[in-house]
PDB file of all heavy atoms in Angstrom:
ATOM      1  N   SER O 193     -20.231 -73.224 -37.530  1.00 95.00           N
ATOM      2  CA  SER O 193     -18.951 -72.666 -37.075  1.00 95.00           C
ATOM      3  C   SER O 193     -18.370 -71.644 -38.047  1.00 95.00           C
ATOM      4  O   SER O 193     -17.636 -70.742 -37.630  1.00 95.00           O
ATOM      5  CB  SER O 193     -17.934 -73.798 -36.863  1.00 95.00           C
ATOM      6  OG  SER O 193     -17.686 -74.482 -38.088  1.00 95.00           O
ATOM      7  N   GLU O 194     -18.669 -71.792 -39.338  1.00 95.00           N
ATOM      8  CA  GLU O 194     -18.048 -70.908 -40.322  1.00 95.00           C
ATOM      9  C   GLU O 194     -19.036 -69.971 -41.017  1.00 95.00           C
ATOM     10  O   GLU O 194     -18.726 -68.799 -41.258  1.00 95.00           O
ATOM     11  CB  GLU O 194     -17.321 -71.757 -41.384  1.00 95.00           C
ATOM     12  CG  GLU O 194     -16.207 -72.605 -40.820  1.00 95.00           C
ATOM     13  CD  GLU O 194     -15.482 -73.405 -41.893  1.00 95.00           C
ATOM     14  OE1 GLU O 194     -15.411 -72.906 -43.041  1.00 95.00           O
ATOM     15  OE2 GLU O 194     -14.999 -74.508 -41.600  1.00 95.00           O
ATOM     16  N   LEU O 195     -20.236 -70.507 -41.336  1.00 95.00           N
ATOM     17  CA  LEU O 195     -21.207 -69.661 -42.038  1.00 95.00           C
ATOM     18  C   LEU O 195     -21.927 -68.714 -41.079  1.00 95.00           C
ATOM     19  O   LEU O 195     -22.155 -67.549 -41.417  1.00 95.00           O
ATOM     20  CB  LEU O 195     -22.223 -70.536 -42.783  1.00 95.00           C
ATOM     21  CG  LEU O 195     -23.274 -69.773 -43.610  1.00 95.00           C
ATOM     22  CD1 LEU O 195     -22.592 -68.973 -44.711  1.00 95.00           C
ATOM     23  CD2 LEU O 195     -24.295 -70.741 -44.208  1.00 95.00           C
ATOM     24  N   ASP O 196     -22.260 -69.245 -39.879  1.00 95.00           N
ATOM     25  CA  ASP O 196     -22.985 -68.386 -38.932  1.00 95.00           C
ATOM     26  C   ASP O 196     -22.218 -67.111 -38.560  1.00 95.00           C
ATOM     27  O   ASP O 196     -22.821 -66.028 -38.495  1.00 95.00           O
ATOM     28  CB  ASP O 196     -23.331 -69.169 -37.672  1.00 95.00           C
ATOM     29  CG  ASP O 196     -24.580 -70.027 -37.876  1.00 95.00           C
ATOM     30  OD1 ASP O 196     -25.214 -69.911 -38.955  1.00 95.00           O
ATOM     31  OD2 ASP O 196     -24.939 -70.794 -36.960  1.00 95.00           O
ATOM     32  N   PRO O 197     -20.897 -67.185 -38.320  1.00 96.00           N
ATOM     33  CA  PRO O 197     -20.167 -65.938 -38.027  1.00 96.00           C
ATOM     34  C   PRO O 197     -20.254 -64.923 -39.174  1.00 96.00           C
ATOM     35  O   PRO O 197     -20.372 -63.717 -38.928  1.00 96.00           O
ATOM     36  CB  PRO O 197     -18.737 -66.411 -37.802  1.00 96.00           C
ATOM     37  CG  PRO O 197     -18.884 -67.818 -37.317  1.00 96.00           C
ATOM     38  CD  PRO O 197     -20.034 -68.366 -38.103  1.00 96.00           C
ATOM     39  N   LEU O 198     -20.207 -65.426 -40.420  1.00 96.00           N
ATOM     40  CA  LEU O 198     -20.336 -64.515 -41.565  1.00 96.00           C
ATOM     41  C   LEU O 198     -21.739 -63.908 -41.620  1.00 96.00           C
ATOM     42  O   LEU O 198     -21.913 -62.724 -41.928  1.00 96.00           O
ATOM     43  CB  LEU O 198     -20.036 -65.271 -42.859  1.00 96.00           C
ATOM     44  CG  LEU O 198     -18.592 -65.778 -43.024  1.00 96.00           C
ATOM     45  CD1 LEU O 198     -18.453 -66.569 -44.329  1.00 96.00           C
ATOM     46  CD2 LEU O 198     -17.613 -64.620 -42.998  1.00 96.00           C
ATOM     47  N   ALA O 199     -22.741 -64.754 -41.278  1.00 95.00           N
ATOM     48  CA  ALA O 199     -24.117 -64.249 -41.253  1.00 95.00           C
ATOM     49  C   ALA O 199     -24.289 -63.209 -40.151  1.00 95.00           C
ATOM     50  O   ALA O 199     -24.983 -62.194 -40.329  1.00 95.00           O
ATOM     51  CB  ALA O 199     -25.084 -65.410 -41.041  1.00 95.00           C
ATOM     52  N   GLN O 200     -23.634 -63.461 -39.020  1.00 95.00           N
ATOM     53  CA  GLN O 200     -23.730 -62.506 -37.923  1.00 95.00           C
ATOM     54  C   GLN O 200     -23.052 -61.171 -38.285  1.00 95.00           C
ATOM     55  O   GLN O 200     -23.547 -60.097 -37.929  1.00 95.00           O
ATOM     56  CB  GLN O 200     -23.104 -63.104 -36.663  1.00 95.00           C
ATOM     57  CG  GLN O 200     -23.918 -64.249 -36.068  1.00 95.00           C
ATOM     58  CD  GLN O 200     -23.234 -64.897 -34.875  1.00 95.00           C
ATOM     59  OE1 GLN O 200     -22.171 -64.475 -34.445  1.00 95.00           O
ATOM     60  NE2 GLN O 200     -23.850 -65.956 -34.330  1.00 95.00           N
ATOM     61  N   GLN O 201     -21.918 -61.271 -38.992  1.00 96.00           N
ATOM     62  CA  GLN O 201     -21.266 -60.037 -39.444  1.00 96.00           C
ATOM     63  C   GLN O 201     -22.176 -59.250 -40.392  1.00 96.00           C
ATOM     64  O   GLN O 201     -22.280 -58.018 -40.313  1.00 96.00           O
ATOM     65  CB  GLN O 201     -19.946 -60.380 -40.146  1.00 96.00           C
ATOM     66  CG  GLN O 201     -18.875 -60.906 -39.220  1.00 96.00           C
ATOM     67  CD  GLN O 201     -17.606 -61.271 -39.971  1.00 96.00           C
ATOM     68  OE1 GLN O 201     -17.446 -61.001 -41.167  1.00 96.00           O
ATOM     69  NE2 GLN O 201     -16.674 -61.922 -39.263  1.00 96.00           N
ATOM     70  N   TYR O 202     -22.821 -60.002 -41.268  1.00 96.00           N
ATOM     71  CA  TYR O 202     -23.756 -59.392 -42.215  1.00 96.00           C
ATOM     72  C   TYR O 202     -24.918 -58.731 -41.463  1.00 96.00           C
ATOM     73  O   TYR O 202     -25.268 -57.570 -41.710  1.00 96.00           O
ATOM     74  CB  TYR O 202     -24.245 -60.472 -43.178  1.00 96.00           C
ATOM     75  CG  TYR O 202     -25.268 -60.037 -44.195  1.00 96.00           C
ATOM     76  CD1 TYR O 202     -25.251 -58.768 -44.763  1.00 96.00           C
ATOM     77  CD2 TYR O 202     -26.276 -60.924 -44.610  1.00 96.00           C
ATOM     78  CE1 TYR O 202     -26.196 -58.394 -45.708  1.00 96.00           C
ATOM     79  CE2 TYR O 202     -27.213 -60.563 -45.549  1.00 96.00           C
ATOM     80  CZ  TYR O 202     -27.187 -59.288 -46.099  1.00 96.00           C
ATOM     81  OH  TYR O 202     -28.129 -58.919 -47.031  1.00 96.00           O
ATOM     82  N   ASN O 203     -25.480 -59.492 -40.497  1.00 96.00           N
ATOM     83  CA  ASN O 203     -26.578 -58.940 -39.712  1.00 96.00           C
ATOM     84  C   ASN O 203     -26.128 -57.737 -38.873  1.00 96.00           C
ATOM     85  O   ASN O 203     -26.865 -56.749 -38.715  1.00 96.00           O
ATOM     86  CB  ASN O 203     -27.158 -60.010 -38.787  1.00 96.00           C
ATOM     87  CG  ASN O 203     -27.857 -61.128 -39.573  1.00 96.00           C
ATOM     88  OD1 ASN O 203     -28.327 -60.910 -40.672  1.00 96.00           O
ATOM     89  ND2 ASN O 203     -27.907 -62.316 -38.996  1.00 96.00           N
ATOM     90  N   SER O 204     -24.925 -57.816 -38.324  1.00 95.00           N
ATOM     91  CA  SER O 204     -24.395 -56.711 -37.510  1.00 95.00           C
ATOM     92  C   SER O 204     -24.202 -55.456 -38.357  1.00 95.00           C
ATOM     93  O   SER O 204     -24.450 -54.332 -37.891  1.00 95.00           O
ATOM     94  CB  SER O 204     -23.071 -57.117 -36.866  1.00 95.00           C
ATOM     95  OG  SER O 204     -23.266 -58.201 -35.964  1.00 95.00           O
ATOM     96  N   ALA O 205     -23.753 -55.644 -39.610  1.00 96.00           N
ATOM     97  CA  ALA O 205     -23.572 -54.490 -40.491  1.00 96.00           C
ATOM     98  C   ALA O 205     -24.916 -53.832 -40.789  1.00 96.00           C
ATOM     99  O   ALA O 205     -25.045 -52.597 -40.786  1.00 96.00           O
ATOM    100  CB  ALA O 205     -22.894 -54.929 -41.790  1.00 96.00           C
ATOM    101  N   LEU O 206     -25.933 -54.683 -41.038  1.00 96.00           N
ATOM    102  CA  LEU O 206     -27.272 -54.134 -41.262  1.00 96.00           C
ATOM    103  C   LEU O 206     -27.792 -53.435 -40.007  1.00 96.00           C
ATOM    104  O   LEU O 206     -28.390 -52.354 -40.074  1.00 96.00           O
ATOM    105  CB  LEU O 206     -28.235 -55.261 -41.666  1.00 96.00           C
ATOM    106  CG  LEU O 206     -28.055 -55.825 -43.082  1.00 96.00           C
ATOM    107  CD1 LEU O 206     -28.930 -57.073 -43.262  1.00 96.00           C
ATOM    108  CD2 LEU O 206     -28.412 -54.786 -44.135  1.00 96.00           C
ATOM    109  N   THR O 207     -27.548 -54.060 -38.839  1.00 95.00           N
ATOM    110  CA  THR O 207     -28.016 -53.470 -37.580  1.00 95.00           C
ATOM    111  C   THR O 207     -27.322 -52.135 -37.309  1.00 95.00           C
ATOM    112  O   THR O 207     -27.939 -51.205 -36.786  1.00 95.00           O
ATOM    113  CB  THR O 207     -27.745 -54.439 -36.415  1.00 95.00           C
ATOM    114  OG1 THR O 207     -28.410 -55.686 -36.668  1.00 95.00           O
ATOM    115  CG2 THR O 207     -28.243 -53.875 -35.109  1.00 95.00           C
ATOM    116  N   ALA O 208     -26.041 -52.023 -37.686  1.00 96.00           N
ATOM    117  CA  ALA O 208     -25.315 -50.766 -37.501  1.00 96.00           C
ATOM    118  C   ALA O 208     -25.941 -49.651 -38.358  1.00 96.00           C
ATOM    119  O   ALA O 208     -26.063 -48.503 -37.915  1.00 96.00           O
ATOM    120  CB  ALA O 208     -23.846 -50.952 -37.855  1.00 96.00           C
ATOM    121  N   CYS O 209     -26.331 -50.018 -39.578  1.00 95.00           N
ATOM    122  CA  CYS O 209     -27.001 -49.035 -40.445  1.00 95.00           C
ATOM    123  C   CYS O 209     -28.343 -48.605 -39.860  1.00 95.00           C
ATOM    124  O   CYS O 209     -28.701 -47.422 -39.876  1.00 95.00           O
ATOM    125  CB  CYS O 209     -27.194 -49.618 -41.844  1.00 95.00           C
ATOM    126  SG  CYS O 209     -25.682 -49.800 -42.797  1.00 95.00           S
ATOM    127  N   ILE O 210     -29.073 -49.605 -39.330  1.00 94.00           N
ATOM    128  CA  ILE O 210     -30.374 -49.289 -38.718  1.00 94.00           C
ATOM    129  C   ILE O 210     -30.181 -48.373 -37.503  1.00 94.00           C
ATOM    130  O   ILE O 210     -30.920 -47.401 -37.322  1.00 94.00           O
ATOM    131  CB  ILE O 210     -31.088 -50.589 -38.297  1.00 94.00           C
ATOM    132  CG1 ILE O 210     -31.460 -51.407 -39.538  1.00 94.00           C
ATOM    133  CG2 ILE O 210     -32.328 -50.267 -37.475  1.00 94.00           C
ATOM    134  CD1 ILE O 210     -32.003 -52.787 -39.220  1.00 94.00           C
ATOM    135  N   ALA O 211     -29.173 -48.677 -36.680  1.00 95.00           N
ATOM    136  CA  ALA O 211     -28.905 -47.859 -35.493  1.00 95.00           C
ATOM    137  C   ALA O 211     -28.542 -46.430 -35.886  1.00 95.00           C
ATOM    138  O   ALA O 211     -28.952 -45.466 -35.222  1.00 95.00           O
ATOM    139  CB  ALA O 211     -27.781 -48.493 -34.672  1.00 95.00           C
ATOM    140  N   LYS O 212     -27.783 -46.321 -36.984  1.00 92.00           N
ATOM    141  CA  LYS O 212     -27.403 -44.988 -37.444  1.00 92.00           C
ATOM    142  C   LYS O 212     -28.638 -44.193 -37.858  1.00 92.00           C
ATOM    143  O   LYS O 212     -28.788 -42.993 -37.528  1.00 92.00           O
ATOM    144  CB  LYS O 212     -26.425 -45.124 -38.611  1.00 92.00           C
ATOM    145  CG  LYS O 212     -25.613 -43.866 -38.926  1.00 92.00           C
ATOM    146  CD  LYS O 212     -26.328 -42.899 -39.821  1.00 92.00           C
ATOM    147  CE  LYS O 212     -25.499 -41.672 -40.091  1.00 92.00           C
ATOM    148  NZ  LYS O 212     -26.224 -40.632 -40.845  1.00 92.00           N
ATOM    149  N   GLN O 213     -29.553 -44.832 -38.556  1.00 92.00           N
ATOM    150  CA  GLN O 213     -30.774 -44.145 -38.985  1.00 92.00           C
ATOM    151  C   GLN O 213     -31.677 -43.817 -37.795  1.00 92.00           C
ATOM    152  O   GLN O 213     -32.305 -42.760 -37.753  1.00 92.00           O
ATOM    153  CB  GLN O 213     -31.528 -45.016 -40.001  1.00 92.00           C
ATOM    154  CG  GLN O 213     -30.771 -45.229 -41.310  1.00 92.00           C
ATOM    155  CD  GLN O 213     -30.408 -43.916 -41.997  1.00 92.00           C
ATOM    156  OE1 GLN O 213     -31.186 -42.966 -42.017  1.00 92.00           O
ATOM    157  NE2 GLN O 213     -29.206 -43.877 -42.554  1.00 92.00           N
ATOM    158  N   GLN O 214     -31.732 -44.709 -36.836  1.00 92.00           N
ATOM    159  CA  GLN O 214     -32.511 -44.426 -35.625  1.00 92.00           C
ATOM    160  C   GLN O 214     -31.919 -43.240 -34.867  1.00 92.00           C
ATOM    161  O   GLN O 214     -32.651 -42.402 -34.311  1.00 92.00           O
ATOM    162  CB  GLN O 214     -32.558 -45.663 -34.724  1.00 92.00           C
ATOM    163  CG  GLN O 214     -33.435 -46.777 -35.293  1.00 92.00           C
ATOM    164  CD  GLN O 214     -33.395 -48.032 -34.439  1.00 92.00           C
ATOM    165  OE1 GLN O 214     -32.431 -48.275 -33.698  1.00 92.00           O
ATOM    166  NE2 GLN O 214     -34.427 -48.852 -34.546  1.00 92.00           N
ATOM    167  N   LYS O 215     -30.583 -43.176 -34.855  1.00 91.00           N
ATOM    168  CA  LYS O 215     -29.916 -42.039 -34.222  1.00 91.00           C
ATOM    169  C   LYS O 215     -30.274 -40.741 -34.947  1.00 91.00           C
ATOM    170  O   LYS O 215     -30.512 -39.702 -34.310  1.00 91.00           O
ATOM    171  CB  LYS O 215     -28.399 -42.256 -34.242  1.00 91.00           C
ATOM    172  CG  LYS O 215     -27.620 -41.150 -33.574  1.00 91.00           C
ATOM    173  CD  LYS O 215     -26.117 -41.449 -33.620  1.00 91.00           C
ATOM    174  CE  LYS O 215     -25.328 -40.305 -32.982  1.00 91.00           C
ATOM    175  NZ  LYS O 215     -23.858 -40.579 -33.037  1.00 91.00           N
ATOM    176  N   ASP O 216     -30.320 -40.818 -36.281  1.00 89.00           N
ATOM    177  CA  ASP O 216     -30.705 -39.632 -37.057  1.00 89.00           C
ATOM    178  C   ASP O 216     -32.141 -39.218 -36.757  1.00 89.00           C
ATOM    179  O   ASP O 216     -32.453 -38.023 -36.673  1.00 89.00           O
ATOM    180  CB  ASP O 216     -30.544 -39.913 -38.554  1.00 89.00           C
ATOM    181  CG  ASP O 216     -29.085 -40.008 -38.977  1.00 89.00           C
ATOM    182  OD1 ASP O 216     -28.216 -39.603 -38.186  1.00 89.00           O
ATOM    183  OD2 ASP O 216     -28.825 -40.498 -40.098  1.00 89.00           O
ATOM    184  N   VAL O 217     -33.018 -40.209 -36.595  1.00 89.00           N
ATOM    185  CA  VAL O 217     -34.407 -39.903 -36.251  1.00 89.00           C
ATOM    186  C   VAL O 217     -34.483 -39.200 -34.904  1.00 89.00           C
ATOM    187  O   VAL O 217     -35.173 -38.185 -34.740  1.00 89.00           O
ATOM    188  CB  VAL O 217     -35.260 -41.186 -36.233  1.00 89.00           C
ATOM    189  CG1 VAL O 217     -36.640 -40.895 -35.653  1.00 89.00           C
ATOM    190  CG2 VAL O 217     -35.405 -41.748 -37.646  1.00 89.00           C
ATOM    191  N   ASN O 218     -33.740 -39.762 -33.919  1.00 91.00           N
ATOM    192  CA  ASN O 218     -33.739 -39.154 -32.584  1.00 91.00           C
ATOM    193  C   ASN O 218     -33.180 -37.737 -32.626  1.00 91.00           C
ATOM    194  O   ASN O 218     -33.704 -36.825 -31.966  1.00 91.00           O
ATOM    195  CB  ASN O 218     -32.929 -40.015 -31.617  1.00 91.00           C
ATOM    196  CG  ASN O 218     -33.571 -41.367 -31.366  1.00 91.00           C
ATOM    197  OD1 ASN O 218     -34.787 -41.517 -31.490  1.00 91.00           O
ATOM    198  ND2 ASN O 218     -32.768 -42.360 -31.023  1.00 91.00           N
ATOM    199  N   ALA O 219     -32.101 -37.560 -33.410  1.00 88.00           N
ATOM    200  CA  ALA O 219     -31.501 -36.222 -33.514  1.00 88.00           C
ATOM    201  C   ALA O 219     -32.474 -35.245 -34.167  1.00 88.00           C
ATOM    202  O   ALA O 219     -32.588 -34.091 -33.744  1.00 88.00           O
ATOM    203  CB  ALA O 219     -30.208 -36.296 -34.327  1.00 88.00           C
ATOM    204  N   ALA O 220     -33.173 -35.714 -35.202  1.00 84.00           N
ATOM    205  CA  ALA O 220     -34.137 -34.847 -35.877  1.00 84.00           C
ATOM    206  C   ALA O 220     -35.293 -34.473 -34.944  1.00 84.00           C
ATOM    207  O   ALA O 220     -35.731 -33.317 -34.910  1.00 84.00           O
ATOM    208  CB  ALA O 220     -34.669 -35.532 -37.131  1.00 84.00           C
ATOM    209  N   CYS O 221     -35.762 -35.472 -34.180  1.00 87.00           N
ATOM    210  CA  CYS O 221     -36.853 -35.188 -33.229  1.00 87.00           C
ATOM    211  C   CYS O 221     -36.403 -34.204 -32.155  1.00 87.00           C
ATOM    212  O   CYS O 221     -37.152 -33.293 -31.765  1.00 87.00           O
ATOM    213  CB  CYS O 221     -37.334 -36.486 -32.591  1.00 87.00           C
ATOM    214  SG  CYS O 221     -38.188 -37.589 -33.741  1.00 87.00           S
ATOM    215  N   THR O 222     -35.159 -34.391 -31.680  1.00 90.00           N
ATOM    216  CA  THR O 222     -34.623 -33.456 -30.692  1.00 90.00           C
ATOM    217  C   THR O 222     -34.503 -32.055 -31.279  1.00 90.00           C
ATOM    218  O   THR O 222     -34.823 -31.056 -30.623  1.00 90.00           O
ATOM    219  CB  THR O 222     -33.246 -33.933 -30.197  1.00 90.00           C
ATOM    220  OG1 THR O 222     -33.372 -35.239 -29.628  1.00 90.00           O
ATOM    221  CG2 THR O 222     -32.671 -32.976 -29.177  1.00 90.00           C
ATOM    222  N   ALA O 223     -34.040 -31.996 -32.544  1.00 84.00           N
ATOM    223  CA  ALA O 223     -33.906 -30.694 -33.207  1.00 84.00           C
ATOM    224  C   ALA O 223     -35.263 -30.039 -33.404  1.00 84.00           C
ATOM    225  O   ALA O 223     -35.417 -28.823 -33.242  1.00 84.00           O
ATOM    226  CB  ALA O 223     -33.202 -30.865 -34.550  1.00 84.00           C
ATOM    227  N   VAL O 224     -36.265 -30.849 -33.745  1.00 82.00           N
ATOM    228  CA  VAL O 224     -37.621 -30.306 -33.919  1.00 82.00           C
ATOM    229  C   VAL O 224     -38.130 -29.746 -32.602  1.00 82.00           C
ATOM    230  O   VAL O 224     -38.698 -28.643 -32.546  1.00 82.00           O
ATOM    231  CB  VAL O 224     -38.576 -31.398 -34.447  1.00 82.00           C
ATOM    232  CG1 VAL O 224     -40.027 -30.928 -34.344  1.00 82.00           C
ATOM    233  CG2 VAL O 224     -38.243 -31.719 -35.893  1.00 82.00           C
ATOM    234  N   ALA O 225     -37.921 -30.518 -31.513  1.00 86.00           N
ATOM    235  CA  ALA O 225     -38.381 -30.049 -30.202  1.00 86.00           C
ATOM    236  C   ALA O 225     -37.679 -28.751 -29.817  1.00 86.00           C
ATOM    237  O   ALA O 225     -38.313 -27.808 -29.309  1.00 86.00           O
ATOM    238  CB  ALA O 225     -38.120 -31.125 -29.150  1.00 86.00           C
ATOM    239  N   ALA O 226     -36.354 -28.687 -30.071  1.00 86.00           N
ATOM    240  CA  ALA O 226     -35.609 -27.470 -29.745  1.00 86.00           C
ATOM    241  C   ALA O 226     -36.073 -26.301 -30.606  1.00 86.00           C
ATOM    242  O   ALA O 226     -36.199 -25.167 -30.126  1.00 86.00           O
ATOM    243  CB  ALA O 226     -34.110 -27.707 -29.944  1.00 86.00           C
ATOM    244  N   THR O 227     -36.324 -26.587 -31.885  1.00 83.00           N
ATOM    245  CA  THR O 227     -36.775 -25.527 -32.785  1.00 83.00           C
ATOM    246  C   THR O 227     -38.144 -25.012 -32.371  1.00 83.00           C
ATOM    247  O   THR O 227     -38.399 -23.801 -32.375  1.00 83.00           O
ATOM    248  CB  THR O 227     -36.838 -26.055 -34.229  1.00 83.00           C
ATOM    249  OG1 THR O 227     -35.547 -26.540 -34.617  1.00 83.00           O
ATOM    250  CG2 THR O 227     -37.257 -24.948 -35.183  1.00 83.00           C
ATOM    251  N   VAL O 228     -39.036 -25.929 -32.002  1.00 83.00           N
ATOM    252  CA  VAL O 228     -40.366 -25.513 -31.540  1.00 83.00           C
ATOM    253  C   VAL O 228     -40.247 -24.661 -30.280  1.00 83.00           C
ATOM    254  O   VAL O 228     -40.911 -23.626 -30.146  1.00 83.00           O
ATOM    255  CB  VAL O 228     -41.256 -26.747 -31.283  1.00 83.00           C
ATOM    256  CG1 VAL O 228     -42.542 -26.342 -30.593  1.00 83.00           C
ATOM    257  CG2 VAL O 228     -41.560 -27.461 -32.596  1.00 83.00           C
ATOM    258  N   ARG O 229     -39.392 -25.116 -29.366  1.00 86.00           N
ATOM    259  CA  ARG O 229     -39.204 -24.359 -28.120  1.00 86.00           C
ATOM    260  C   ARG O 229     -38.645 -22.964 -28.420  1.00 86.00           C
ATOM    261  O   ARG O 229     -39.145 -21.957 -27.904  1.00 86.00           O
ATOM    262  CB  ARG O 229     -38.256 -25.120 -27.197  1.00 86.00           C
ATOM    263  CG  ARG O 229     -38.039 -24.432 -25.844  1.00 86.00           C
ATOM    264  CD  ARG O 229     -37.099 -25.227 -24.962  1.00 86.00           C
ATOM    265  NE  ARG O 229     -35.763 -25.364 -25.558  1.00 86.00           N
ATOM    266  CZ  ARG O 229     -35.295 -26.482 -26.075  1.00 86.00           C
ATOM    267  NH1 ARG O 229     -36.029 -27.579 -26.091  1.00 86.00           N
ATOM    268  NH2 ARG O 229     -34.073 -26.524 -26.599  1.00 86.00           N
ATOM    269  N   ASP O 230     -37.599 -22.914 -29.253  1.00 83.00           N
ATOM    270  CA  ASP O 230     -37.008 -21.622 -29.599  1.00 83.00           C
ATOM    271  C   ASP O 230     -38.004 -20.735 -30.350  1.00 83.00           C
ATOM    272  O   ASP O 230     -38.015 -19.515 -30.174  1.00 83.00           O
ATOM    273  CB  ASP O 230     -35.758 -21.830 -30.453  1.00 83.00           C
ATOM    274  CG  ASP O 230     -34.649 -22.526 -29.678  1.00 83.00           C
ATOM    275  OD1 ASP O 230     -34.711 -22.530 -28.426  1.00 83.00           O
ATOM    276  OD2 ASP O 230     -33.734 -23.064 -30.317  1.00 83.00           O
TER     277      ASP O 230
END
């Protein structure tokens, strides 16, 4: 009841960082595709 919520917050913070990096990867891939096309 008390430790698991803290663990979930910790995991969620890590997951948010991972999502941000995945977003950067997608943006970079999109930019590469656009650059190649241009």
Side-chain angles (χ1 to χ4, degrees):
S193 62
E194 298 182 31
L195 182 62
D196 279 354
L198 294 177
Q200 290 176 3
Q201 291 178 8
Y202 177 35
N203 293 334
S204 297
L206 287 171
T207 302
C209 289
I210 294 172
K212 198 275 179 186
Q213 295 303 321
Q214 289 176 336
K215 182 179 178 181
D216 289 346
V217 171
N218 294 334
C221 291
T222 302
V224 168
T227 302
V228 171
R229 182 180 62 253
D230 294 342

